[in-house]
Amino acid sequence: MALGRTYAVSLVGMNGHVVEVEADIGQTLPAFVLLGLPDASLNEAKDRIRAAARNAGVPLSRRKITVNLIPASLPKRGSSFDLAIVMSALAAAGDVRGVGSTVFIAELGLDGQLRPVHGVLPAVMAAVEAGHHRIVVAEENAPEAALVPAAEVGSYRTLAEVALAFGADAARVALPEPSVRSEPVLPVVRSGPTRDLSDIAGQHEARFALEIAAAGAHHLLMVGPPGAGKTMLAERLPGILPDLEDDHAMEVTAIHSLSGERHCTELVRKPPFESPHHTATPASIIGGGSGIPRPGAASRAHRGILFLDEAPEYERRVLEALREPLESGRLVLHRASGTASYPARFQLVLALNPCPCGLANGKGIDCLCTAQQRRRYFNRLSGPLLDRVDLQLAVQRLSMADYVDVRSPETSAAVAGRVAEARAAQRERLLRWNYATNAEVQGRILRGELALPRAVTASLDRALDRNLVSARGWDRVLRVAWTIADLGGRSRPDADDVVTALGFRLQERAA
């Protein structure tokens, strides 16, 4: 029986499914049949791989070739199946041997060149978890595939080289002339200029709030007039965050590989920073697109910062769609063609003016907005969304004394040192619950094992009774208080820490 078998990987969101690729060569008239719910781009592989195999010197059989992708009920999409399909067809014809349990992940050009594809890192992770350690990819994807421990990666430039490596007749194979590509096929994302906290004049309270947000992974809202430094503060938050640990770095790198926005040659260690324009659609923020939904800015900001400048200008649907991931740290997108799940544990940073004209600061005597206009402007941010933001800060306009102060402000490196020490204290305290930061701690733990004396939480309790904070807000104030204590080197928060945390909670409302 002329039957060949190889393996590929189908990605549904971040979840990879190993797909068995069977090829059968029949005795009927020439044809090529592809089964197993392929999409349009995958259906085009039939003509693509015939030309690639012919130009590589290993033409496919002229008989009927039937390729089945198992499981047949799983939708398959994209061009990453090309190499697995052609190798299974060649194995069925006896032209190659030993493909066995090898997973092939690459697109084919008509000339037989192997083209890189997006999502190689999560695909290789899924293959290794399923017990398939031998992986073949295009040469450009090799550094990314090699990031997965225990993966035995083979990389090639052309189909001819792959066929030769798996026992094809060397006399038939048309090996190309050695060549050097002048530029990478996938875009390489380079880091921008370094932004340091020392660039910011004054704003001591805002800098302290930024330090708290970094230390405890808390969400932050800043309200202030134009030019007060809200955007500068937000852009410097990643610089004081600690580098990502191995498991988190693997998650972040896999998301960026899947979204295709960078050429991954090493793990992403720096927390990502996403700052979409206020005209962004829900699909671009949350994720979407035709077929299986793709990751949006919220998922690309996983373990980093999602900064929404001029927050009231975003569509209401965009802002409300963030409520679920702020609590769960995950986005589950349901579409007619399937369901995709992406991690989205980001820090949300919101910035907005005090009113539409931006002049309602201090006494607001220069403001041209009516009370109704100001109310309508702030009502674009719903109460349930604001209730999920731990720190709500009123950023004041800079005074001339602060602006011309010749003393050197504290650098990001100095603040990052304190943040790292606070994170270490949190990790040690929360290890038994498998949490890393105070922002993740559940309310039952704050009210149980980590409960504080009523004398310490008296001010917060009164705020809850007076309906100044909700039950969710009560928990979030305590989380911030624990972070303030960690920054101060204290084992538990005191009453002053709780008052400070409550002040950050109510400051925007007072402003």
Side-chain angles (χ1 to χ4, degrees):
M1 180 176 65
L3 184 68
R5 180 179 287 106
T6 59
Y7 292 88
V9 178
S10 176
L11 289 174
V12 181
M14 286 286 290
N15 301 318
H17 303 270
V18 174
V19 174
E20 187 177 342
V21 183
E22 291 181 331
D24 174 75
I25 297 180
Q27 302 297 323
T28 57
L29 295 175
F32 198 123
V33 179
L34 188 57
L35 308 174
L37 292 183
D39 72 342
S41 61
L42 182 51
N43 246 322
E44 293 172 350
K46 295 183 292 187
D47 298 318
R48 195 161 52 236
I49 68 174
R50 274 199 183 278
R54 182 179 64 254
N55 291 323
V58 282
L60 298 182
S61 171
R62 293 184 179 275
R63 299 174 181 175
K64 181 180 179 180
I65 299 175
T66 303
V67 176
N68 186 32
L69 307 177
I70 303 172
S73 59
L74 177 71
K76 297 141 191 106
R77 61 195 301 269
S79 57
S80 63
F81 291 84
D82 288 5
L83 185 57
I85 293 173
V86 72
M87 291 301 290
S88 66
L90 293 175
D95 294 327
V96 297
R97 299 178 299 278
V99 292
S101 62
T102 305
V103 175
F104 297 89
I105 307 171
E107 178 184 334
L108 286 174
L110 297 182
D111 57 355
Q113 294 280 337
L114 299 192
R115 306 293 184 185
V117 295
H118 301 316
V120 165
L121 181 59
V124 175
M125 290 169 62
V128 171
E129 289 175 2
H132 299 269
H133 297 271
R134 193 177 182 188
I135 316 291
V136 172
V137 298
E139 198 171 55
E140 290 87 346
N141 283 139
E144 182 178 337
L147 295 175
V148 181
E152 302 169 9
V153 180
S155 61
Y156 304 90
R157 290 190 303 118
T158 65
L159 174 60
E161 294 173 356
V162 179
L164 194 61
F166 284 89
D169 186 357
R172 296 173 52 199
V173 173
L175 289 174
E177 294 293 329
S179 62
V180 178
R181 286 182 176 164
S182 58
E183 58 183 32
V185 175
L186 295 177
V188 178
V189 176
R190 297 177 174 85
S191 58
T194 303
R195 295 182 171 93
D196 199 278
L197 277 174
S198 59
D199 300 333
I200 299 175
Q203 300 297 3
H204 305 293
E205 186 180 29
R207 290 166 62 99
F208 181 49
L210 202 70
E211 185 175 340
I212 296 172
H218 301 290
H219 307 304
L220 173 65
L221 177 143
M222 294 180 286
V223 181
K230 303 184 297 296
T231 301
M232 290 183 67
L233 285 161
E235 290 175 342
R236 281 147 184 80
L237 180 54
I240 60 177
L241 292 174
D243 288 348
L244 301 176
E245 298 177 356
D246 289 345
D247 53 344
H248 294 166
M250 189 70 76
E251 286 181 346
V252 172
T253 309
I255 293 171
H256 288 287
S257 168
L258 189 61
S259 61
E261 66 176 26
R262 68 170 68 200
H263 182 30
C264 299
T265 58
E266 59 183 5
L267 291 179
V268 177
R269 293 290 182 181
K270 295 296 182 183
F273 181 83
E274 291 287 329
S275 180
H277 192 262
H278 65 260
T279 57
T281 63
S284 66
I285 301 294
I286 303 303
S290 60
I292 300 298
R294 308 290 290 178
S299 292
R300 293 196 302 272
H302 179 59
R303 300 295 175 184
I305 310 300
L306 178 63
F307 176 47
L308 303 185
D309 201 3
E310 304 297 341
E313 302 300 332
Y314 285 81
E315 284 188 40
R316 184 67 175 258
R317 292 186 303 155
V318 171
L319 297 173
E320 294 305 303
L322 295 175
R323 286 160 52 179
E324 288 83 359
L326 287 178
E327 291 289 337
S328 65
R330 180 162 291 275
L331 277 165
V332 181
L333 306 175
H334 296 267
R335 299 293 186 271
S337 57
T339 301
S341 176
Y342 297 106
R345 188 165 294 283
F346 54 85
Q347 279 183 256
L348 179 64
V349 179
L350 303 171
L352 61 151
N353 294 325
C355 66
C357 76
L359 300 178
N361 186 59
K363 295 182 179 180
I365 56 177
D366 296 325
C367 178
L368 304 177
C369 305
T370 65
Q372 184 179 9
Q373 287 174 323
R374 288 195 292 268
R375 190 181 306 112
R376 187 183 301 118
Y377 180 74
F378 271 97
N379 284 343
R380 295 177 186 175
L381 302 180
S382 69
L385 175 64
L386 293 178
D387 202 32
R388 289 166 167 82
V389 180
D390 304 349
L391 299 164
Q392 302 182 15
L393 175 70
V395 181
Q396 303 300 325
R397 189 185 301 275
L398 276 177
S399 67
M400 193 62 190
D402 286 330
Y403 198 61
V404 300
D405 191 351
V406 296
R407 292 174 298 178
S408 298
E410 202 170 23
T411 64
S412 290
V415 177
R418 292 197 298 272
V419 168
E421 292 175 1
R423 287 279 183 110
Q426 295 169 52
R427 193 160 44 245
E428 181 179 354
R429 180 176 64 251
L430 303 175
L431 181 61
R432 57 174 166 156
W433 296 292
N434 199 29
Y435 295 132
T437 60
N438 289 327
E440 303 173 60
V441 181
Q442 294 184 5
R444 61 177 178 80
I445 298 174
L446 294 171
R447 298 186 299 272
E449 294 92 331
L450 297 181
L452 300 175
R454 296 299 297 271
V456 173
T457 64
S459 59
L460 179 57
D461 297 341
R462 288 193 298 270
L464 180 61
D465 289 337
R466 296 168 58 190
N467 203 29
L468 295 177
V469 296
S470 65
R472 181 190 288 117
W474 192 93
D475 291 341
R476 291 187 177 274
V477 169
L478 284 186
R479 292 169 186 162
V480 173
W482 275 100
T483 302
I484 295 173
D486 291 331
L487 286 169
R490 295 180 292 279
S491 59
R492 295 174 71 84
D494 56 26
D496 290 339
D497 295 331
V498 174
V499 170
T500 302
L502 181 60
F504 278 123
R505 184 75 181 179
L506 303 178
Q507 193 173 127
E508 181 274 328
R509 180 182 296 192

